[in-house]
Amino acid sequence: MNGARTEPFVPPGYGRLARFFLPLALQAASQSLCYPLVAMVAARGPGGTLDLAGLAQANTVLFFLGMFAISLVPTGMVFARSREGYRQFYRVSLAAGFCASALQALICLEPVAVVIFEKLIGLPPTIAAPARRSLLAGIPLQILFFSRIPYFVAMYTFQASGLASVATIGRVALTAALTPLFCLAGWVGPVWAVVALSLPVALEALVSRAMARPFLARQPALDGAPPRLREIFEFSLPLTFGGYFLTFAAVVVAAILARAPEPERMLPVYYLALGLASPVAFSATRIQTLVLAFPPVAENRGRTLRFALAAGAGLGLLPLIFLLPGLDRLYYVTLQNLDPVDLPWIRRTAALFVFFPLAVALRARGEGLAAALKRPRVVLFGHAVLLCAAFATAALALALDTPGSLIGALGLTAGSLASAATMHTALRRDLRPDPVRAAITPPT
């Protein structure tokens, strides 16, 4: 058996799609809350804000090394739909986690750390030192990030997204409880901040494992040969490099808008608006998981497209709540210390960012279709187009004397729209017949 249904296919209703997507969106948005929480532990260390800056740089390197983890969720939802396929995928996940951790340990060696943090990134020694200590303390965290992925995949495959999100929300709640306790106990500084971040992730991995067991027991056996480790790895690789293109696009856009007039005003405005747009846009990326959970046969494709449009539009409107009279001053001026004279720029930038989650949702749908059809290079090409389109749009806006904060919103949105259009065009021929119903239908 390969897990395909034999009864007539019944396309899911929009309510079922929403019940699957909403926990994923909440899970994605809540994950970003852990890092501001542990920041208070780092900032209370002997180095103060220097320790906090070191922790931030260490996290950047940790995430860069762990980029392969992002591609493992769609990879698992394609290959881990049988017992044998899951075992192979589990091996790849652990091997990838240990390789990323080994590279992280190598960077923590003093001569290498000096080259990376001081020579390449250009950090002063007062920030480079806590960055190295934080990165060293984060090696177990890197392994934990990879170890939980197979359990998430098992629950997503059986469309149990609500159950999967429970562990992550619990992780955020535990982090929120631990950080003030660490501060009261005097366990402060960047290393203790990593500990406060790691303990909840460890608990999240254990809880996810327990929750995934019933679904793993229900996985069907596979008649033929299981996927090879090399096949799984080669599928993940283009998705990983595509993730690096997304990262570089954000850096390129920021570099361009920094060259616009009044960067000392426009950059804070841009990052404050992006700070609210990013979590909802990250939630929109979970459309990819939805497409993989519900097979993109002809009956589903129109539904997932319409759902992506509705979800992206709805998510884009959420940050506008902070523009309501009174609330805008409370959040941006009182809490974020923005100069009140820049509130009109915040309103314009936030209004333009409304379209960003919608563009991300359409891009994520294309990523899901490409993964389901086992065409990961389409994702890589789409993300390369995103980088080029974001650069071209931002550069053109700069040449037209567009205010810097608006350049960022235009560049990121145009990049995702171009990527979505590219992937859907590249997959058009594959989607004409009834493509992969048996291959990606969830197991019963």
Side-chain angles (χ1 to χ4, degrees):
M1 295 177 58
N2 62 1
R5 300 179 191 269
T6 56
E7 67 269 18
F9 176 78
V10 179
Y14 293 110
R16 186 178 171 192
L17 294 177
R19 286 192 297 273
F20 180 83
F21 175 75
L22 289 176
L24 289 177
L26 181 61
Q27 182 186 38
S30 64
Q31 285 177 339
S32 60
L33 298 176
C34 294
Y35 303 97
L37 288 171
V38 300
M40 70 175 70
V41 177
R44 284 167 171 76
T49 55
L50 297 176
D51 283 347
L52 177 58
L55 174 67
Q57 291 294 334
N59 283 339
T60 300
V61 175
L62 187 147
F63 297 144
F64 186 85
L65 294 174
M67 186 68 74
F68 195 79
I70 296 176
S71 67
L72 286 176
V73 172
T75 299
M77 296 191 71
V78 172
F79 289 99
R81 292 180 172 270
S82 66
R83 296 173 189 172
E84 297 80 3
Y86 181 85
R87 281 195 289 268
Q88 293 289 80
F89 170 70
Y90 187 84
R91 294 188 185 104
V92 171
S93 298
L94 286 187
F98 281 112
C99 287
S101 300
L103 286 173
Q104 189 168 326
L106 178 64
I107 293 175
C108 291
L109 296 175
E110 188 169 358
V112 183
V114 169
V115 172
I116 297 294
F117 289 116
E118 297 185 31
K119 305 297 182 183
L120 185 61
I121 300 179
L123 300 178
T126 50
I127 297 179
R132 175 174 172 259
R133 293 197 303 270
S134 302
L135 192 63
L136 182 62
I139 291 175
L141 181 62
Q142 186 76 272
I143 297 175
L144 287 170
F145 280 148
F146 278 87
S147 68
R148 63 187 181 162
I149 291 174
Y151 309 125
F152 284 154
V153 166
M155 289 184 276
Y156 294 159
T157 300
F158 281 87
Q159 301 173 4
S161 60
L163 195 61
S165 67
V166 169
T168 300
I169 295 172
R171 165 196 163 194
V172 176
L174 182 57
T175 305
L178 284 180
T179 48
L181 291 178
F182 274 47
C183 293
L184 289 173
W187 299 338
V188 292
V191 173
W192 282 111
V194 175
V195 174
L197 193 61
S198 301
L199 290 177
V201 176
L203 183 62
E204 178 189 28
L206 290 173
V207 171
S208 299
R209 180 183 180 183
M211 289 178 171
R213 279 180 179 173
F215 303 106
L216 294 176
R218 289 165 52 192
Q219 283 186 322
L222 188 66
D223 286 339
R228 295 174 300 166
L229 297 177
R230 180 177 177 179
E231 181 184 4
I232 297 174
F233 176 77
E234 290 179 348
F235 182 92
S236 296
L237 207 56
L239 302 180
T240 302
F241 282 114
Y244 286 121
F245 282 139
L246 296 181
T247 302
F248 292 148
V251 174
V252 166
V253 167
I256 291 175
L257 72 90
R259 288 162 172 77
E262 298 185 286
E264 67 281 355
R265 291 183 63 193
M266 293 295 104
L267 277 170
V269 167
Y270 166 71
Y271 282 116
L272 281 174
L274 182 62
L276 292 178
S278 285
V280 292
F282 189 46
S283 297
T285 63
R286 294 303 190 257
I287 293 291
Q288 179 195 52
T289 308
L290 179 140
V291 171
L292 286 165
F294 297 92
V297 292
E299 300 94 329
N300 274 359
R301 291 198 298 273
R303 289 174 182 264
T304 58
L305 175 59
R306 288 188 289 272
F307 186 86
L309 289 168
L315 289 169
L317 293 174
L318 290 179
L320 297 185
I321 295 173
F322 291 88
L323 296 184
L324 293 175
L327 192 57
D328 55 353
R329 284 187 169 270
L330 174 64
Y331 178 75
Y332 288 110
V333 178
T334 305
L335 297 180
Q336 299 293 350
N337 202 30
L338 178 75
D339 190 333
V341 75
D342 290 328
L343 271 177
W345 283 115
I346 278 284
R347 295 189 184 100
R348 295 174 192 139
T349 308
L352 198 54
F353 263 125
V354 164
F355 304 101
F356 182 45
L358 175 60
V360 171
L362 293 175
R363 188 193 81 212
R365 180 177 178 269
E367 293 166 356
L369 292 173
L373 294 165
K374 295 187 177 180
R375 295 193 60 189
R377 287 181 177 82
V378 170
V379 177
L380 177 62
F381 182 61
H383 289 177
V385 169
L386 183 150
L387 176 60
C388 296
F391 170 78
T393 303
L396 178 62
L398 179 64
L400 295 175
D401 294 326
T402 305
S405 63
L406 304 185
I407 290 176
L410 288 170
L412 294 179
T413 304
S416 284
L417 286 175
S419 177
T422 299
M423 287 186 283
H424 284 84
T425 301
L427 296 171
R428 183 176 297 171
R429 183 175 298 178
D430 299 80
L431 294 171
R432 282 176 186 166
D434 192 24
V436 284
R437 173 177 297 187
I440 61 171
T441 301
T444 56

